[in-house]
Amino acid sequence: MTDQTPQVRLARAKEASRATAALTSDDKARALEAIAVALEQNAATIIEANSRDVARGEADGIGDSLIDRLRLDEKRVRALASAVREVTGLPDPVGRVVGGHRMPNGVTLEQVRVPFGVVGAIYEARPNVTVDIAALALRSGNAVVLRGGSAARDSNTVLVQIMREALQSAGVTPEAVQTVDDFGRDGAKALMNGRGYIDVLVPRGSAGLIETVVTESTVPVIETGAGNVHIVLDESAPDDWSRDIVVNAKVQRPSVCNAVETVLVLRQAAPRLVPLVASALQSEGVAIHGDDMVAGLVSNVIPATDEDWATEYLSLDIAMKVVDSLDDALDHIRRYSTGHTESIITTDTRNAERFLVEVDSAVVMVNTSTRFTDGGEFGFGAEVGISTQKLHARGPMGLSELTSTKWLARGSGQTRS
């Protein structure tokens, strides 16, 4: 093993994780504040590096949604620093007692939260994730190894350097933040096969990237899924709620995983709601991919195909379908949902409660925009990602999801008979 292999970086992170696990809550808070200050002080350098990534992405034609996720400006850099400070202000999960009891023989048991050790992350065109995951990992006592992809190469290089220098200034080992970007695909493979070094791996990005990481990894993976997100409008859905919530869920930031992709309208409400909602969407530049009934109620509709119902557009496109009943809406969601977020607009309490119970997604909503599925909005500060799996973590992942537990047993000479 030489210094020119990704395994060296993983080994350094593993060694650093022993030090980060021993940091006090105040130690970690000081380190994160140093990172936040450094991001603000180096905003111009970050933006300059990012502009090179954006120019290269535009030349390569990576698409508007990825360009939007890639771009950093002064406001977004300030938001990165703010997110780090929000993480700093969150309760430290390490050492928190989550369970315990006294055994009949007098041995006391406590189950407490502990860091995982080394958190790996593979993602693409998301320089904000570089900072978010590093901050969450450090606050929860972990080291982190990052693979941010070629699209954000210059941005991530600068961000990692800034964070490592900030940690050094705060008296924390800079080896707690590592990147394997410079090793390209070999770096990603090292993360996916880093048994003994990587304790948990989190992929964030396209469905293809996530599928590759899930299927090829030999280390534990927390799957963050694509967002084929649905909103259902039932017979009782108010006009203003339907219009405003759907438009917000699609238009406010269409390139993210919690943006709505399909609207299902119950047949009895279709003549009232489809023209209203479609007109509001079209006025915002949204292209509607609709079924025959939608096309009969609205002009300039693109005929929908089965592929549209399964598509995460991440753009100003939306699929719209008229269904006969709530049963049919639930069946459609079961068939096409990726298990991310679904919402129903209704004033019918029974429909609302049935939707909450029967929809099997990480986040299920009533009468609100799907854009609220977000770690920051949920009060977690920055987020690791939005998990669509069912083991350990589900939905927006914050500090607690980057910890495991261990049992502490305290006795006074007991032996087992």
Side-chain angles (χ1 to χ4, degrees), residues 366-378:
V366 174
N367 296 330
T368 191
S369 172
T370 59
R371 285 285 289 117
F372 286 114
T373 298
D374 177 83
E377 295 293 332
F378 277 27

Side-chain angles (χ1 to χ4, degrees), residues 4 9 34 55 63 68 84 87 98 122 125 138 161 168 188 196 231 268:
Q4 300 304 313
R9 308 270 176 89
D68 177 60
V84 172
V87 172
V98 296
I122 297 178
L138 291 166
Q161 179 182 349
Q168 183 79 56
I231 292 179
Q268 290 184 8

Side-chain angles (χ1 to χ4, degrees), residues 12-80:
R12 288 174 179 170
K14 190 67 173 179
E15 181 66 25
S17 71
R18 299 185 180 94
T20 56
L23 294 173
T24 68
S25 184
D26 287 344
D27 290 337
K28 290 181 281 190
R30 283 193 293 271
L32 290 175
E33 176 60 23
I35 288 175
V37 170
L39 290 171
E40 292 170 334
Q41 292 177 342
N42 291 278
T45 302
I46 295 168
I47 293 167
E48 180 183 1
N50 178 255
S51 68
R52 296 194 294 271
D53 289 331
V54 170
R56 188 170 59 251
E58 290 174 339
D60 292 343
I62 66 174
D64 291 342
S65 64
L66 283 180
I67 289 293
D68 177 60
R69 292 183 175 186
L70 176 61
R71 192 184 305 277
L72 292 176
D73 53 22
E74 288 188 15
K75 181 179 179 180
R76 289 188 178 182
V77 173
R78 287 197 303 271
L80 288 179

Side-chain angles (χ1 to χ4, degrees), residues 3 8-20 117-119 138 142-146 160 163-168 171-179:
D3 197 35
V8 169
R9 308 270 176 89
L10 271 59
R12 288 174 179 170
K14 190 67 173 179
E15 181 66 25
S17 71
R18 299 185 180 94
T20 56
V118 180
V119 176
L138 291 166
N142 296 287
V144 66
V145 183
L146 304 164
V160 169
M163 289 191 292
R164 285 172 59 91
E165 290 174 354
L167 290 179
Q168 183 79 56
V172 175
T173 174
E175 305 297 351
V177 176
Q178 300 284 348
T179 177

Side-chain angles (χ1 to χ4, degrees), residues 90-304:
L90 294 172
D92 189 338
V94 176
R96 187 182 305 162
V97 178
V98 296
H101 61 277
R102 181 183 293 273
M103 296 170 63
N105 64 7
V107 174
T108 60
L109 298 174
E110 280 186 326
Q111 186 184 23
V112 299
R113 291 206 172 276
V114 295
F116 271 124
V118 180
V119 176
I122 297 178
Y123 51 102
E124 54 191 1
R126 289 169 166 87
N128 65 296
V129 173
T130 301
V131 176
D132 288 350
I133 290 187
L136 287 164
L138 291 166
R139 184 60 173 155
S140 52
N142 296 287
V144 66
V145 183
L146 304 164
R147 165 66 170 125
S150 59
R153 180 185 64 217
D154 290 357
S155 305
N156 290 336
T157 298
V158 169
L159 288 169
V160 169
Q161 179 182 349
I162 288 169
M163 289 191 292
R164 285 172 59 91
E165 290 174 354
L167 290 179
Q168 183 79 56
S169 72
V172 175
T173 174
E175 305 297 351
V177 176
Q178 300 284 348
T179 177
V180 291
D181 276 354
D182 48 325
F183 297 105
R185 292 182 179 179
D186 287 342
K189 290 178 181 177
L191 279 174
M192 290 187 287
N193 296 287
R195 289 179 63 85
Y197 298 116
I198 302 300
D199 294 287
V200 65
L201 181 58
V202 181
R204 289 187 62 178
S206 66
L209 179 145
I210 293 166
E211 180 67 17
T212 296
V213 173
V214 170
T215 57
E216 295 187 12
S217 292
T218 60
V219 300
V221 175
I222 297 178
E223 182 175 356
T224 60
N228 190 16
V229 172
H230 298 76
I231 292 179
V232 175
L233 310 179
D234 84 350
E235 296 93 337
S236 68
D239 288 1
D240 54 346
W241 289 5
S242 301
R243 178 192 62 234
D244 296 346
I245 289 172
V246 171
V247 170
N248 176 262
K250 177 75 270 184
V251 175
Q252 199 251 352
R253 196 173 179 193
S255 65
V256 292
C257 61
N258 57 21
V260 65
E261 304 293 14
T262 297
V263 176
L264 303 173
V265 186
L266 270 62
R267 188 169 299 278
Q268 290 184 8
R272 173 173 63 92
L273 292 178
V274 169
L276 173 72
V277 173
S279 175
L281 288 168
Q282 289 174 332
S283 70
E284 297 286 348
V286 178
I288 297 174
H289 304 249
D291 66 0
D292 290 342
M293 187 164 184
V294 171
L297 294 168
V298 182
S299 59
N300 298 319
V301 170
I302 302 167

